[in-house]
């Protein structure tokens, strides 16, 4: 109970800090700068996600190894995959039409530092104190927000025009990765799991093959990156800045639900069902998060209406409704995302997610084959509608698992 409350509160604080970071981007930087940063950070995110291959989730679902051994194995395998993915990341940078240098270097640094931070969050859930669990979530985004504000203010006075957004995000991720260092320095003792150490009935487990986990990760990572890269290629950096800045703000809510609810449920093992019963139904949690997404969307609309933002950001208006619907539906799905691992349905879950990802990709790429492509607002409306319907269907299926 205490772990759940602390992680939920720290995740909420981290979410608020990241929203502040996004709002600072809107206030202090141009759509062009935000668009270019969004492309680089999204390629780094794609690189990190594919290299991890859901390793943080595996650390929580399969707890038959000592935590430091699991962390070491996860980091080594992820780092090797990350090095192997260098050509793929370079291709993504080239496709986005950004200069290969130094964009590829920034994407690499963001990817590997964020990789360490993601593994560190799972590690602290298993062996850290509640305050360590809070610090590993709160300090990195707080550092990034403080850095971007300080750098922007100093840059205005001294005339510096360097990559402020990238450096600020990189510093935050690097600070988060520090929590992984003690586990990597411990002596690696290879232990063989015995049948008694495997998940028993009612315990969370991840029986998926390595190839299925990799395929699931590949589809998710490609889709998350494609939406930014395709927008950049079809509609330009300014339109990408409008869309990606709002997506960055609203997209934090599904991530918070997953980190503060689903991951904690898996880390607590058989106690998760009792925690779920005492605290809230996943339906109420998902709907509450959906309501928060709506409030954020209305807040963005109010900021535009009151002219708090620079007039250059007026292009955000058409994106508010479709992105609220999409990310709200993602909150519902995230609230149930631990169920497949508690009911031995993880493989079916991966196949369902991949099917939805392929459908989303078809909608995303469809305008590229048209003689007269639709405009960005119509494109986003169609993509968000298909995504929302698919996520709701997935949520209903997970809710019925027993």
């Amino acid at each position: 109970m205490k772990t759940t409350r602390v992680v939920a509160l720290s995740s909420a604080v981290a979410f608020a800090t990241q929203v502040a970071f996004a709002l600072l981007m809107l206030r202090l930087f141009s759509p062009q700068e935000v668009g270019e940063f969004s492309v680089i950070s999204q390629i780094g995110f794609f690189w990190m996600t594919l290299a991890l291959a859901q390793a943080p989730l595996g650390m929580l679902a399969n707890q038959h190894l000592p935590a430091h051994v699991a962390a070491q194995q996860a980091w080594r395998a992820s780092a090797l995959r990350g090095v192997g993915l260098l050509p793929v990341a370079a291709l993504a940078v080239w496709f986005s039409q950004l200069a290969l240098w130094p964009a590829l270097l920034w994407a690499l640094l963001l990817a590997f530092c964020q990789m360490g931070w993601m593994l560190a969050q799972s590690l602290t859930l298993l062996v850290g104190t509640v305050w360590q669990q809070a610090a590993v979530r709160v300090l990195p985004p707080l550092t990034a927000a403080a850095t971007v504000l300080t750098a922007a203010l100093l840059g205005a006075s001294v005339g510096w025009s360097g990559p402020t957004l990238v450096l600020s995000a990189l510093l935050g991720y690097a600070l988060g990765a520090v929590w992984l260092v003690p586990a990597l320095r411990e002596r690696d003792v290879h232990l063989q799991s015995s049948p008694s150490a495997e998940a028993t009935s009612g315990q969370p487990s991840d029986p998926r093959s390595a190839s299925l986990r990799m395929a699931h990760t590949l589809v998710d990572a490609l889709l998350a990156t494609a939406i930014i890269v395709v927008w950049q290629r079809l509609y330009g950096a300014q339109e990408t800045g409008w869309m990606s800045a709002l997506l960055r703000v609203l997209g934090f809510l599904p991530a918070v639900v997953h980190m503060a609810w689903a991951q904690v449920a898996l880390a607590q093992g058989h106690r998760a069902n009792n925690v779920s019963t005492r605290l809230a139904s996943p339906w109420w949690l998902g709907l509450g998060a959906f309501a928060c997404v709506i409030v954020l969307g209305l807040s963005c609309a109010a900021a535009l209406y009151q002219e708090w933002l620079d007039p250059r950001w007026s292009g955000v208006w058409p994106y508010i409704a479709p992105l609220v619907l999409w990310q709200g539906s993602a909150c519902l799905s995230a609230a149930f995302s631990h169920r497949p691992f508690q009911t031995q349905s993880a493989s079916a879950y991966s196949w369902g997610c991949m099917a939805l990802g392929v459908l989303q990709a078809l909608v995303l790429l469809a305008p590229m084959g048209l003689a007269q492509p639709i405009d960005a607002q119509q494109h986003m409306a169609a993509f968000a509608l298909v995504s929302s319907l698919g996520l709701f269907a997935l949520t209903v299926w997970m809710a019925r698992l027993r």
Side-chain angles (χ1 to χ4, degrees), residues 255-267:
V256 168
V257 173
H258 184 72
M259 289 187 296
W261 178 259
Q263 288 189 3
V264 173
L266 289 175

Side-chain angles (χ1 to χ4, degrees), residues 241-377:
W242 290 334
M243 184 274 293
S244 61
L246 184 60
L247 180 60
R248 189 180 186 90
V249 172
L250 300 182
F252 291 140
L253 258 299
V256 168
V257 173
H258 184 72
M259 289 187 296
W261 178 259
Q263 288 189 3
V264 173
L266 289 175
Q268 291 180 334
H270 66 277
R271 294 174 292 166
N273 289 329
N274 293 332
V275 171
S276 176
T277 301
R278 288 197 300 266
L279 291 182
S281 161
W283 276 116
W284 285 113
L285 180 71
L287 289 171
F290 201 144
C292 291
V293 173
I294 293 174
V295 170
L296 277 177
L298 292 174
S299 299
C300 291
L304 289 169
Y305 183 77
Q306 296 295 331
E307 299 182 347
W308 183 81
L309 299 176
D310 189 285
R312 292 176 296 177
W313 286 101
S314 60
V316 170
W317 270 110
Y319 289 106
I320 294 177
L323 287 181
V324 164
L325 179 62
W326 175 23
Q327 295 306 304
S329 300
C331 288
L332 289 173
S333 178
F336 286 92
S337 60
H338 61 290
R339 284 281 181 86
F341 300 94
Q342 294 177 330
T343 58
Q344 307 301 308
S345 303
S347 295
Y349 171 68
S350 283
W351 283 111
C353 290
M354 287 190 292
L356 175 58
V358 170
L359 179 60
Q360 291 173 291
L362 290 175
V363 177
L364 180 64
L365 297 173
M368 300 185 73
L370 299 177
Q372 292 182 333
I374 60 177
D375 63 38
Q377 291 74 32

Side-chain angles (χ1 to χ4, degrees), residues 7 41 49 52 66 74 98 137 156 169 189 202 216 308-309 350 357 360 375 392:
V7 172
S41 62
T49 302
L52 283 177
L98 290 178
R137 285 163 173 77
V189 180
H216 185 172
W308 183 81
L309 299 176
S350 283
Q360 291 173 291
D375 63 38
F392 185 73

Side-chain angles (χ1 to χ4, degrees), residues 29-359:
F29 299 90
S30 69
Q32 178 85 13
E33 292 173 307
V34 174
E36 292 179 357
F37 166 71
S38 296
V39 173
I40 293 172
S41 62
Q42 190 60 50
I43 291 173
F45 178 80
F46 159 78
W47 199 342
M48 174 274 299
T49 302
L50 197 55
L52 283 177
Q54 300 189 357
L57 187 62
M59 288 175 60
L60 298 176
N62 297 320
Q63 300 179 24
H64 56 277
L65 284 176
H68 78 277
V69 175
Q72 290 169 358
Q73 293 179 355
W75 170 254
R76 288 169 184 163
S78 300
L80 287 174
R81 282 191 293 265
V83 172
L85 288 167
L86 178 60
V88 179
L91 180 62
V93 174
W94 170 82
F95 184 80
S96 71
Q97 298 184 328
L98 290 178
L100 192 62
W101 180 265
L104 184 60
L105 173 63
W106 293 130
L108 182 150
L109 294 174
L110 289 172
F112 277 75
C113 288
Q114 193 172 6
M115 189 190 306
W117 183 36
M118 297 301 291
L119 291 172
Q121 291 181 61
S122 291
L123 178 67
T124 56
L125 272 177
L126 294 174
V127 298
T129 66
V130 291
W131 297 115
Q132 288 173 327
Q133 293 166 13
V136 75
R137 285 163 173 77
V138 172
L139 290 182
L142 184 62
T143 300
T147 302
V148 76
L149 177 60
T150 302
L153 295 177
L154 288 177
S157 60
V158 301
W160 186 70
S161 58
T164 302
L165 289 170
V166 172
L167 288 174
S168 300
L170 180 60
L171 182 59
Y173 291 145
L175 179 62
V178 168
W179 269 269
L180 188 65
V181 173
L184 298 181
R185 296 180 64 181
E186 288 193 38
R187 193 167 68 92
D188 188 356
V189 180
H190 293 280
L191 300 176
Q192 297 292 329
S193 60
S194 63
S196 60
E198 300 295 336
T200 58
S201 178
Q203 286 275 35
S205 66
D206 184 2
R208 296 172 298 171
S209 65
S211 59
L212 180 57
R213 291 198 304 270
M214 191 66 177
H216 185 172
T217 306
L218 178 61
V219 172
D220 286 349
L222 283 174
L223 182 65
T225 303
I227 189 171
I228 301 295
V229 175
V230 168
W231 234 255
Q232 166 81 12
R233 190 173 184 88
L234 287 179
Y235 307 115
Q238 179 170 265
E239 198 79 40
T240 303
W242 290 334
M243 184 274 293
S244 61
L246 184 60
L247 180 60
R248 189 180 186 90
V249 172
L250 300 182
F252 291 140
L253 258 299
V256 168
V257 173
H258 184 72
M259 289 187 296
W261 178 259
Q263 288 189 3
V264 173
L266 289 175
Q268 291 180 334
H270 66 277
R271 294 174 292 166
N273 289 329
N274 293 332
V275 171
S276 176
T277 301
R278 288 197 300 266
L279 291 182
S281 161
W283 276 116
W284 285 113
L285 180 71
L287 289 171
F290 201 144
C292 291
V293 173
I294 293 174
V295 170
L296 277 177
L298 292 174
S299 299
C300 291
L304 289 169
Y305 183 77
Q306 296 295 331
E307 299 182 347
W308 183 81
L309 299 176
D310 189 285
R312 292 176 296 177
W313 286 101
S314 60
V316 170
W317 270 110
Y319 289 106
I320 294 177
L323 287 181
V324 164
L325 179 62
W326 175 23
Q327 295 306 304
S329 300
C331 288
L332 289 173
S333 178
F336 286 92
S337 60
H338 61 290
R339 284 281 181 86
F341 300 94
Q342 294 177 330
T343 58
Q344 307 301 308
S345 303
S347 295
Y349 171 68
S350 283
W351 283 111
C353 290
M354 287 190 292
L356 175 58
V358 170
L359 179 60

